[in-house]
Amino acid sequence: MLKHLKVDAERLKPDSVLDWGSATSGLGAEEVKFFPPSHMEPLLWEGFVRPGAKSEPNPFLRFNVRDQMNALLDGYGGCRHSEGLHFWVQDVVEEPGKPGHALVVINHPSESRVKFYDFVSGGEQIASRQEVLKRRYGIRPRHLVKRGRYHAGWKGMDLNKQHQAFIYWLDETAGALFWTLYLGYLRFVRGPIMEKRKALGGYDHPFLFVSEREPRGDDTHAMIGDPYSSAAHERNHKAAVLRIGLKHGKAYGTTTQGMRHAYGQTLRRLGVPPQVIKKGLHHRHYLSQVPYTVPTREEINAELNAAHARRNGVQMPVPQLEHETSRTLLKLHQFIVSGEVDV
């Protein structure tokens, strides 16, 4: 009855009995290109200066604060470039127990639940983000709209039971800078833009990052204050990269994804355990981080040549936010308070 299950022992091969995993021949994981750490700070303070705005007294209007915040999320928080496009204004709060630092929460764009005021019932309710977007704003989650500038991708990630994850900053200064930029962005950029949008009859929405430009040409469907698009994000990042004298492209590691790769590489160089790298990159599986952390050929040679000289406790460098950022951060704080300090 079970004759069809019999196997000729002479024809039986080890590979058919033991699971050796993936085939041992073929291509292995190769190094990925990542954003050069030495250019992180110039990108922030030179790349994101608004064209023609160097003499603008308000630093939150002199710099493109929205894109500075996205650069911090990608390069110092390990975000995929599309993840920040799903953020709501309320997804950034001050870190409990650490005044002046940002706690950024990544919420699933449709399943994460949120408290909101329901005008129909006249009270607070809790519902999924998808339901809130539908009932309050008449729109859908961005990853469920497959075409157009409103669409923003979403890739599976390691979320908790509340469908949330958190940004883990490479450098505490990045968390402090993000919080200051966030406060200035809401007050001087997003707030006025959304007021103008409202005056033009545009719909309201909760997304943090918004378009700053009026529609051009025959693009009658666009409006100032639209949720920031993926294409615009990459385009503005490219312009900033070119301003600081770098070539832009995947081959150079200078795309927005290259910023995330730099985050993974820095964690590896710091000797961070794999489970921490997994959390920092929000991967669901350990092997997902392999392409982000493969050492370069030069690094492998350097590691072998210097192995005898290694000592415990030697810390590898994090992409530095140094004097320029510390000085500017202080003056940004002062400007928010007094409105009089030049940066």
Side-chain angles (χ1 to χ4, degrees), residues 127-314:
S128 69
R129 293 205 165 199
Q130 181 170 354
E131 184 67 18
V132 173
L133 287 174
K134 177 182 178 181
R135 292 168 60 178
R136 284 289 303 274
Y137 306 103
I139 54 180
R140 301 176 66 196
R142 299 187 67 177
H143 69 303
L144 299 181
V145 178
K146 298 303 181 183
R147 295 182 180 180
R149 65 172 59 84
Y150 182 75
H151 169 75
W154 179 262
K155 194 172 182 179
M157 63 164 59
D158 182 29
L159 301 174
N160 60 23
K161 293 181 180 179
Q162 288 73 44
H163 304 288
Q164 295 177 327
F166 303 94
I167 293 295
Y168 298 99
W169 300 110
L170 277 181
D171 186 332
E172 286 191 346
T173 303
L177 177 58
F178 191 90
W179 179 246
T180 300
L181 294 178
Y182 170 79
L183 296 178
Y185 176 70
L186 293 185
R187 178 177 174 183
F188 298 109
V189 183
R190 190 186 187 278
I193 285 175
M194 295 306 287
E195 285 296 323
K196 185 174 183 179
R197 178 183 178 86
K198 182 179 179 181
L200 293 172
Y203 67 85
D204 192 15
H205 65 76
F207 296 108
L208 175 60
F209 298 120
V210 299
S211 170
E212 300 180 8
R213 291 184 174 180
E214 300 281 2
R216 297 178 175 180
D218 298 329
D219 193 1
T220 57
H221 297 290
M223 179 180 285
I224 188 172
D226 280 346
Y228 195 30
S229 74
S230 179
H233 178 200
E234 191 67 59
R235 183 172 62 247
N236 291 330
H237 174 83
K238 177 181 178 179
V241 167
L242 296 178
R243 285 190 196 105
I244 61 173
L246 295 179
K247 293 182 178 180
H248 177 268
K250 185 176 180 180
Y252 309 109
T254 51
T255 62
T256 53
Q257 183 68 359
M259 301 282 283
R260 175 172 157 87
H261 290 163
Y263 178 90
Q265 285 285 343
T266 301
L267 292 181
R268 177 186 64 80
R269 291 174 176 179
L270 289 171
V272 172
Q275 60 268 32
V276 175
I277 297 178
K278 173 179 173 290
K279 281 293 184 181
L281 290 169
H282 309 112
H283 282 148
R284 289 184 293 182
H285 307 290
Y286 284 112
L287 294 182
S288 297
Q289 70 201 34
V290 171
Y292 294 81
T293 56
V294 174
T296 65
R297 182 176 60 83
E298 292 79 8
E299 287 178 323
I300 293 172
N301 286 329
E303 287 286 350
L304 293 175
N305 293 335
H308 67 282
R310 289 190 177 279
R311 296 174 297 173
N312 292 332
V314 175

Side-chain angles (χ1 to χ4, degrees), residues 41 44-45 173 177 321-329:
E41 195 166 48
L44 289 173
W45 304 117
T173 303
L177 177 58
L321 291 175
E322 298 183 303
H323 174 70
E324 177 67 18
T325 295
S326 298
R327 182 184 67 85
T328 306
L329 178 57

